[in-house]
Amino acid sequence: MEVDEASKALDEMRRRTEQTLRRGSPRRVPIWYRLGSAASLTLVWASADTHGWAASGMVVAGVAATLLLTRRLELATGVRLRMGALRFLPIALLIGAMLVAAIFVGSVMRLYDVPLDGTIGGLAAALVWIIGIGWTQGAAAATRDPS
């Protein structure tokens, strides 16, 4: 294989990788995925307001709904992305912002003895998710500089 052929083959591989990332990580995440996953994440946070089997059931239901929605998104885009193909920093920043929002809002609600403080904190995290998931997907799927 000559250098020219190898260079063309590498360019084609990069082009296909970029195409796959664009298709599997749309900046415009479907509204059904945004809202559904936000609701399922809120359900997980709301489990802090209950005890016993109900709390466990809410966590299991929230995680199961998130996994089902993610699988449905994979089927809709036709691409199953691996975490190794995505940049980790934008995802970590979104998760961090969600945690800060949920903990801060939930703590303030608890400080003022507002009932359902976990649910309200979860709603704050869900709002951060709805606002930030499009940017995060786009940033996480941005092509890496091979050099």
Side-chain angles (χ1 to χ4, degrees), residues 9-147:
L10 284 173
D11 286 342
E12 179 65 17
M13 287 172 57
R14 282 189 200 108
R15 187 186 67 74
R16 287 185 182 190
T17 300
E18 290 174 13
Q19 181 182 28
T20 301
L21 286 172
R22 273 194 311 272
R23 190 169 169 206
S25 292
R27 286 186 189 270
R28 296 180 144 254
V29 177
I31 194 71
W32 58 264
Y33 181 78
R34 282 182 193 235
L35 297 179
S37 55
S40 64
L41 293 171
T42 301
L43 185 62
V44 172
W45 281 99
S47 69
D49 296 330
T50 61
H51 303 289
W53 64 269
S56 299
M58 291 170 75
V59 170
V60 168
V63 170
T66 301
L67 292 174
L68 288 171
L69 285 165
T70 301
R71 180 65 182 139
R72 177 67 181 106
L73 181 63
E74 289 173 354
L75 292 172
T77 61
V79 175
R80 183 172 185 198
L81 293 176
R82 305 275 187 240
M83 283 303 294
L86 299 173
R87 291 182 177 185
F88 184 70
L89 183 61
I91 297 167
L93 290 174
L94 178 64
I95 291 169
M98 290 171 58
L99 286 172
V100 167
I103 292 169
F104 178 77
V105 171
S107 296
V108 169
M109 295 298 113
R110 181 168 285 188
L111 179 69
Y112 289 108
D113 292 326
V114 175
L116 304 176
D117 52 279
T119 304
I120 295 169
L123 289 171
L127 182 61
V128 171
W129 170 264
I130 290 169
I131 292 169
I133 188 61
W135 173 85
T136 301
Q137 283 288 89
T143 55
R144 299 176 186 204
D145 186 13
S147 55

